[in-house]
Amino acid sequence: MRARPSRLLHLSPVTPAPDAAPLRLVDVQAAVSAELDRIAPVIDELGERFAAAGHELALVGGPVRDAMLGRRSNDLDFTTSARPDETDRILRAWGDAWWDMGRDFGTIGCRKGDWVVEVTTYRSEAYDRDSRKPEVQYGDHLAGDLGRRDFTVNAMAVRLPGREIEDPFGGVMDLAHRVLRTPGTPEQSFSDDPLRMMRAARFAAQLGFAVDPEVVRAMTEMADRIEIISAERVRDELVKLICAPHPRLGLELLVETGLAERVLPELPALKLERDEHHRHKDVYEHTLTVLEQAIDLEPRLAERGDIAPGPDFVSRFAALMHDVGKPRTRRFVDDGTVTFHHHDVVGAKITRKRMKALRFSNEQIEDVGLLVELHLRFHGYGTGEWTDSAVRRYVRDAGDQLERLHVLTRADCTTRNQRKADRLRRTYDDLEARIDRLAAAEELASIRPDLDGTQIMEILGIGPGREVGEAYRFLLELRLDNGPMETDDATAALKEWWAARS
C-alpha cells in the first residue's frame, strides 16, 4: 500500500463525527481486500482486457474510498490511459449495454449484469477562472489524473489487474484520521472549481469526516467564488448534503465559512440577536435539532405512507426551512417576550422563492412550501377541542403531504421540559387517532362532495359554467362540516342554497 510511512506513525486525534468509530490501518486494509475480492469478476477481467490492449486501467475515486470504509457498491469508476474510442471498443466487447454521453469528457459507460461501469481517460484539466467548466485535456499518467481530484480520500486508485494501491497524496492516512484535505493547496483547488467548497460540506455530511483547518480557511476566504456556479449545480450538492447521514455537520460548515450566505442565506439568518431583556429560543439551533428529529422519524413515512424508505428530501428540507419566516416577523413585547406572528405564512413564501431560485421542480417547491405553511396548524388543537370538521380540514389542507406533516409537527417539539414534551406527544397521538377513525369511516384521503358535477347540473337545471363550480365548493364545505350525507339530504341542501343564492 503506497501511503507515506512517516505519517503512519504519527496519527493525531481529529474530532469524530457522531457515532464515528476510530479507523485502524489494519481494518482499512482488510476492508479493501474484501471488497476487491467481491468485485473481482469485474476488475480482474477488465484489467486484463485493457492490459492486453496495451493500456493502463485503475479503479479510482469513490469506489476505492468506500471499499476502505467497508461500503459496497455496484457502481464502479475507472480511469485509463486509453482514449475514448479504444475504451468504447473494449467495453462493447465485454458489456451488455453501453453509453457515451460523457465522451466529450473522456467517459464511456456500460452495464454488465448488475454492475455499472464508467471508464474515463486520464485527464489534466485547465480552468477558466470565471467558469467551472474545464477545458478537457487528456493526460498520460495516473498520478497526474489523481492530482486533479477534489480531496485526498478521493485521489486514491487501485491499479489493475495487479491490485496495487496508488496513494500519492496520503489519502489512506486522511481516511484513517477521518479528515478531508485537498491533494494540492485548497486555494488552487477551489479556484479551479469553486463547487468543491460545497462538496467539502457534502462529504463531511456523508462520511462524518472533519475538514482540515486549511480547507476551512480557504472556503471562508473564497466563499464569494461560489457565485459563478450555476444554481442547478448548487442545488444538487445541497440535496446530497441534506440527504446525507449527518447533514448538520455540512450545514454548520456552510454557515461557518460564509458559503450559506451565498447559497441558502435563510439559514444563517436564523441566528437572531438576543439581549438580556428579550429572550427566546435559539432559532438556528432549534432548526438543526428539528432536522435531526425529522430524520429520526423518517421510518414513519414508509410505514404509514407511500414514500420510499430512505432519506426523504422534502421532509428534511421542510424541517430546515420551517422557521425561516421568524427573522422578518419578530416583534418585542413589553413583558420581555418575543412574538413571531404569521411566520408560517411568511416562511412559506420565503421558502418557495428560495427553492425557485435554486431551480427546484414545481412539485418539490409546492410540497415543501405547503409543509412550512401548515407546520403551526396543530397548535390550535389545544387539548383536543377541534371539531370533526376542523380535523377534516386539517387532512384536506395537508393533502398528500399529511404523513410528512405528522413528521414535521412532531419533530418541531424541542422543549427540554419533559412534561410539556410528553403532553404535546400525547395530544398529537390523539389527533392522529381521530384522523384514523374518521378516515376509516369517511374515506378522508379523497374527500369529495356527495354530489358530482353532472348531478349538480341535473338537479339545478343548468349547464357547465361558473355556477357549477360554486355549487361544488358549497357542497365540499358542507361535506367537511357534516361528514358524508345521503344523496337526498345533499340534494335538499343544494336546492336550498341555490334558492337563497337566486
Side-chain angles (χ1 to χ4, degrees):
M1 184 173 292
R2 296 187 183 181
R4 299 172 187 175
S6 62
R7 295 185 64 191
L8 290 176
L9 303 176
H10 298 89
L11 294 179
S12 57
V14 174
T15 302
D19 69 22
L23 287 178
R24 300 183 305 162
L25 290 178
V26 64
D27 295 330
V28 171
Q29 290 171 322
V32 73
S33 179
E35 179 64 1
L36 293 179
D37 287 341
R38 186 185 74 88
I39 64 178
V42 176
I43 62 174
D44 290 349
E45 187 172 349
L46 270 184
E48 290 168 358
R49 285 175 177 265
F50 274 82
H55 300 295
E56 297 177 357
L57 182 72
L59 185 70
V60 72
V64 178
R65 177 200 70 220
D66 290 344
M68 293 182 177
L69 292 171
R71 300 179 178 182
R72 293 187 168 189
S73 174
N74 282 11
D75 293 350
L76 304 177
D77 296 329
F78 297 85
T79 188
T80 181
S81 59
R83 295 303 188 254
D85 288 346
E86 183 66 8
T87 297
D88 186 61
R89 185 189 67 78
I90 295 172
L91 292 183
R92 284 183 181 276
W94 175 76
D96 300 326
W98 314 268
W99 54 90
D100 64 353
M101 292 87 74
R103 182 181 289 270
D104 290 344
F105 296 94
T107 301
I108 306 295
C110 83
R111 179 179 56 80
K112 175 77 168 181
D114 294 332
W115 306 96
V116 176
V117 166
E118 288 196 341
V119 182
T120 302
T121 301
Y122 292 159
R123 284 163 58 176
S124 175
E125 295 165 343
Y127 289 80
D128 181 334
R129 178 171 174 78
D130 297 321
S131 172
R132 80 166 300 272
K133 295 181 179 180
E135 176 187 342
V136 177
Q137 299 177 354
Y138 295 138
D140 299 313
H141 305 287
L142 176 58
D145 183 87
L146 296 178
R148 71 177 182 81
R149 295 177 183 268
D150 50 10
F151 301 103
T152 60
V153 295
N154 295 329
M156 300 179 288
V158 179
R159 287 187 179 273
L160 302 169
R163 298 193 184 182
E164 301 92 355
I165 292 181
E166 291 284 343
D167 181 24
F169 303 103
V172 172
M173 290 306 305
D174 288 339
L175 186 141
H177 280 88
R178 293 185 176 272
V179 65
L180 290 173
R181 290 189 311 111
T182 53
T185 67
E187 291 81 5
Q188 183 60 53
S189 180
F190 299 153
S191 179
D192 286 346
D193 186 355
L195 190 63
R196 289 172 175 170
M197 295 186 288
M198 291 287 296
R199 286 169 64 84
R202 190 245 291 184
F203 280 122
Q206 284 183 335
L207 302 174
F209 282 15
V211 181
D212 183 80
E214 288 300 306
V215 174
V216 175
R217 180 183 58 77
M219 291 171 66
T220 304
E221 294 176 353
M222 303 177 67
D224 60 340
R225 288 278 292 152
I226 200 66
E227 294 174 2
I228 72 169
I229 303 299
S230 70
E232 292 84 356
R233 292 282 188 170
V234 170
R235 174 203 64 207
D236 291 347
E237 287 297 326
L238 194 59
V239 170
K240 292 174 183 176
L241 188 163
I242 290 171
C243 290
H246 311 293
R248 184 178 190 131
L249 293 179
L251 292 168
E252 287 178 334
L253 181 60
L254 292 181
V255 172
E256 176 188 350
T257 58
L259 279 163
E261 291 280 0
R262 278 82 175 175
V263 301
L264 194 65
E266 294 78 11
L267 182 58
L270 294 176
K271 288 191 168 186
L272 301 178
E273 294 181 5
R274 306 171 75 182
D275 61 52
E276 59 182 283
H277 301 294
H278 298 94
R279 295 181 297 277
H280 56 80
K281 185 180 296 184
D282 186 323
V283 182
Y284 173 73
E285 288 296 327
H286 163 75
T287 294
L288 295 180
T289 301
V290 171
L291 171 59
E292 291 177 322
Q293 294 185 166
I295 292 171
D296 291 339
L297 291 168
E298 272 181 345
R300 288 174 50 100
L301 298 177
E303 293 168 3
R304 294 177 56 92
D306 57 358
I307 298 171
D312 181 61
F313 173 77
V314 170
S315 61
R316 291 188 183 199
F317 200 60
L320 188 65
M321 301 294 284
H322 79 284
D323 273 349
V324 295
K326 281 190 171 180
R328 291 192 185 179
T329 58
R330 182 174 61 162
R331 299 291 182 271
F332 297 115
V333 183
D334 291 340
D335 63 2
T337 60
V338 179
T339 66
F340 302 96
H341 295 313
H342 307 302
H343 77 267
D344 47 346
V345 177
V346 173
K349 292 179 180 178
I350 293 172
T351 297
R352 292 186 175 104
K353 183 177 180 180
R354 175 55 52 197
M355 294 184 72
K356 184 176 181 180
L358 288 171
R359 306 290 193 271
F360 280 95
S361 69
N362 290 335
E363 180 180 3
Q364 287 178 309
I365 292 172
E366 287 310 308
D367 289 349
V368 175
L370 178 65
L371 290 169
V372 173
E373 189 171 340
L374 294 179
H375 83 274
L376 287 183
R377 183 74 66 87
F378 159 71
H379 294 284
Y381 188 69
T383 56
E385 289 84 2
W386 275 5
T387 62
D388 284 351
S389 173
V391 175
R392 293 187 192 102
R393 281 179 165 78
Y394 188 76
V395 174
R396 188 271 309 270
D397 292 347
D400 61 1
Q401 298 305 305
L402 180 62
E403 293 303 329
R404 286 183 172 125
L405 182 59
H406 289 336
V407 166
L408 176 58
T409 304
R410 289 180 179 277
D412 196 23
C413 175
T414 61
T415 179
R416 295 180 181 178
N417 183 323
Q418 192 59 48
R419 180 178 297 179
K420 180 178 179 182
D422 290 341
R423 176 175 57 79
L424 287 171
R425 177 183 52 76
R426 288 194 301 269
T427 304
Y428 204 84
D429 286 344
D430 178 68
L431 174 58
E432 283 200 66
R434 287 185 64 187
I435 290 173
D436 289 342
R437 287 196 298 271
L438 285 172
E442 304 180 12
E443 298 182 359
L444 284 186
S446 56
I447 294 179
R448 294 181 297 272
D450 297 289
L451 302 173
D452 61 25
T454 300
Q455 292 172 303
I456 290 171
M457 289 187 288
E458 290 177 353
I459 292 168
L460 300 182
I462 60 177
R466 178 172 54 84
E467 291 88 352
V468 178
E470 292 177 0
Y472 188 91
R473 287 188 290 275
F474 162 74
L475 289 171
L476 179 59
E477 290 299 314
L478 196 64
R479 168 74 169 76
L480 289 167
D481 285 337
N482 301 330
M485 300 176 65
E486 296 294 335
T487 300
D488 290 346
D489 294 334
T491 299
L494 175 63
K495 289 179 176 179
E496 182 180 348
W497 169 82
W498 182 252
R501 179 182 179 281
S502 300

